[in-house]
């Protein structure tokens, strides 16, 4: 399996990236970055941290839906997942980020 990063401009002219699985499904969405270079640095942080289970924080929304956040070693949030229907589905999402997060492939739509 080989996923890819896709970077694009948000509506407020800032930059966001998504990590997508090879089926084009978004498995991680970044925070908003003020510059494209900062977004590229965020992608590097995913590559560095995605394989480390300790960097994932498992959470639950107010609607009781599980989701996860990927953090850098300094505690900063790199990105977050979609809402999942169950804890096991969320764990599958984490496994997918671990598997795809080191990809060197990226697409730039910014």
């Amino acid at each position: 399996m080989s996923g890819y990063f896709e970077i694009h401009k948000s509506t407020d002219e800032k930059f966001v990236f998504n990590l997508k699985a090879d089926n084009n499904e978004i498995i991680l969405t970044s925070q908003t970055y003020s510059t494209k270079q900062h977004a590229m640095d965020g992608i590097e942080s995913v590559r560095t941290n995605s394989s480390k289970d300790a960097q994932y924080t498992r959470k639950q929304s107010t609607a009781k839906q599980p989701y996860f956040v990927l953090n850098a070693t300094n505690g900063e949030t790199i990105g977050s997942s979609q809402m999942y229907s169950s804890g096991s589905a969320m764990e599958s999402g984490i496994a997918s980020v671990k598997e795809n997060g080191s990809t060197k492939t990226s697409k730039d739509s910014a």
Side-chain angles (χ1 to χ4, degrees):
M1 182 180 269
S2 181
Y4 60 96
F5 291 97
E6 186 173 65
I7 188 167
H8 61 274
K9 265 190 184 177
S10 61
T11 54
D12 60 358
E13 297 297 307
K14 296 192 178 181
F15 295 87
V16 176
F17 66 82
N18 291 310
L19 174 60
K20 293 186 173 185
D22 63 351
N23 65 0
N24 299 316
E25 184 176 330
I26 296 171
I27 53 178
L28 186 76
T29 299
S30 76
Q31 302 302 305
T32 303
Y33 295 93
S34 58
T35 67
K36 188 174 185 177
Q37 183 57 54
H38 288 147
M40 299 299 287
D41 293 344
I43 289 171
E44 265 318 302
S45 190
V46 172
R47 290 177 177 143
T48 300
N49 292 290
S50 62
S51 64
K52 303 170 188 168
D53 194 64
Q55 299 313 116
Y56 292 88
T57 303
R58 289 141 173 97
K59 296 187 169 198
Q60 195 172 69
S61 72
T62 55
K64 307 279 190 226
Q65 293 177 294
Y67 71 101
F68 63 86
V69 173
L70 177 62
N71 300 297
T73 52
N74 65 2
E76 292 283 321
T77 297
I78 305 168
S80 57
S81 72
Q82 64 182 10
M83 299 297 159
Y84 289 96
S85 58
S86 68
S88 62
M90 176 190 66
E91 292 300 329
S92 292
I94 290 171
S96 185
V97 173
K98 286 179 178 178
E99 187 173 337
N100 291 286
S102 63
T103 183
K104 296 295 183 193
T105 305
S106 61
K107 298 179 181 181
D108 189 339
S109 347

